[in-house]
Amino acid sequence: MHVLLTAAELAAGVDRLAAGVERDRRPGGLVVVGVLTGSLLIVADLIRRLAGPVRVNMVWASSYRGTATAPGALEVRLDLLPDLAGQDVLVVDDIFDTGRTLEAILGELRRRGAARVRSLVLLRKQGRAEVDLTPDFVGFDIPDVFVVGYGLDFDGAYRHLDHVAALDEADVAAARAAATPPPPDPRR
Ligand code: IMP
Ligand code: MG
């Protein structure tokens, strides 16, 4: 595992993102909609840098299963959301990979009548997009590697790291071996 973005680099990136959001926002309130669970840290750091009024809601999405590093079936749950009709909304996620999570959530918020829907991602992986959608605010473009830390997990672990690290193939192989029960002993 090797460090891709230090805590200081992330902090500077969130400063830039918050400044961009402040420049873009319209008078009145902004509703930040964070995508659980990976956006926990970016949402917490971003909203503390916003000057104007803000409300926060969370939705839940998952496209990864266990020790897989490729997306599985996308599951999105928006049942925690209040009525957002007529509101200015900013959807915040940890990473834009294929883009399918963001596409699904943005589409649903528009269907529910939000007046304006913007999107912000901390990270965007190069050359992975499968949808015709560009996030309005991007913190960092990163190579196509599996990353953890600052909210991002591998099989539930590493979300608490204050930096972003890339997993090496050896890390993934070791985790998979640990997660797989050993084959039955044929002598028994
Ligand atoms: P997308 O729908 O393919 O854009 O995937 C977005 C979601 O997949 C993110 O919100 C993350 O939860 C997860 N994800 C994508 N790439 C990574 C990664 O490199 N590390 C950890 N999670 C990832
Ligand atoms: Mg996520």
Side-chain angles (χ1 to χ4, degrees):
M1 197 151 95
H2 61 277
V3 177
L4 208 62
L5 295 162
T6 65
E9 286 167 336
L10 288 168
V14 184
D15 282 343
R16 283 195 301 274
L17 288 167
V21 171
E22 280 298 323
R23 271 196 303 276
D24 171 75
R25 75 186 288 168
R26 300 195 299 194
L30 178 70
V31 183
V32 166
V33 171
V35 184
L36 290 170
T37 304
S39 75
L40 265 184
L41 277 71
I42 172 68
V43 166
D45 285 343
L46 181 77
I47 60 177
R48 282 181 284 180
R49 288 163 162 91
L50 297 180
V54 63
R55 291 191 286 140
V56 183
N57 289 281
M58 303 302 273
V59 295
W60 183 87
S62 178
S63 56
Y64 281 90
R65 294 288 178 277
T67 57
T69 53
L74 174 62
E75 195 184 341
V76 178
R77 297 192 53 173
L78 295 99
D79 39 303
L80 294 172
L81 280 184
D83 178 15
L84 293 176
Q87 301 290 314
D88 284 351
V89 177
L90 176 69
V91 178
V92 176
D93 204 358
D94 50 2
I95 188 166
F96 187 99
D97 182 20
T98 66
R100 298 207 176 274
T101 303
L102 209 54
E103 180 186 57
I105 292 169
L106 295 180
E108 185 54 31
L109 292 175
R110 292 201 176 98
R111 267 192 295 283
R112 293 178 179 208
R116 190 176 192 233
V117 185
R118 292 279 200 252
S119 57
L120 178 152
V121 293
L122 177 72
L123 309 175
R124 174 171 57 189
K125 270 190 212 174
Q126 290 296 299
R128 293 271 306 164
E130 292 176 6
V131 297
D132 184 17
L133 162 69
T134 306
D136 298 290
F137 307 98
V138 177
F140 300 90
D141 279 302
I142 63 166
D144 181 12
V145 290
F146 196 82
V147 289
V148 296
Y150 196 71
L152 293 135
D153 76 302
F154 174 63
D155 200 19
Y158 307 120
R159 289 196 200 277
H160 63 290
L161 301 179
D162 67 358
H163 57 276
V164 170
L167 280 193
D168 303 314
E169 265 311 309
D171 302 324
V172 177
R176 285 194 184 129
T180 310
D185 185 342
R187 289 166 303 182
R188 285 212 223 138

